[in-house]
Amino acid sequence: MFTGDEPAALGTVISADGYILTKASELHGGARCRFKDGRELPATLVGIHDEHDLAMLKVDAGDLVPVDWKADALPALGSFLVTVGLADEPEAIGVVSATTRKPRSCAA
């Protein structure tokens, strides 16, 4: 995602017809999306979910590859995780080193 000439945030394609999810607080002014194939398309703001800092954008495209959600599959201990970046190389690589745990609330 770009605002002006500056990179603003990463986005996730959620449908082939051009819906993209991104971080709302990073969008300042008009947005455009740059895709891995080099295309750049202007994006229209569809809506914002303030509580989770999400923005839904729409680009004029019909051939995008959406993310494949795997909500019921948690990575096992020892699994490698990769954070994507704007370039072909990952931003970060890590290993799952703890099981999922519930947050505790503390009374003061």
Side-chain angles (χ1 to χ4, degrees):
M1 307 302 314
F2 286 80
T3 57
D5 292 330
E6 297 297 318
L10 296 174
T12 300
V13 175
I14 61 168
S15 69
D17 61 345
Y19 286 94
I20 298 170
L21 194 63
T22 191
K23 186 172 178 159
S25 62
E26 297 299 319
L27 299 177
H28 307 288
R32 71 179 195 289
C33 302
R34 180 183 297 161
F35 298 93
K36 191 157 184 82
D37 64 7
R39 283 186 292 176
E40 285 194 21
L41 298 173
T44 302
L45 179 64
V46 174
I48 291 178
H49 189 278
D50 288 320
E51 183 179 347
H52 292 107
D53 191 24
L54 295 173
M56 179 70 69
L57 302 174
K58 175 75 168 80
V59 296
D60 187 18
D63 59 347
L64 301 178
V65 179
V67 66
D68 185 13
W69 301 104
K70 302 263 188 214
D72 59 341
L74 294 175
L77 285 174
S79 297
F80 283 97
L81 301 176
V82 177
T83 301
V84 298
L86 295 175
D88 288 337
E89 299 298 318
E91 288 286 320
I93 298 174
V95 176
V96 177
S97 61
T99 58
T100 304
R101 52 193 177 262
K102 291 185 176 182
R104 295 185 321 183
S105 59
C106 300

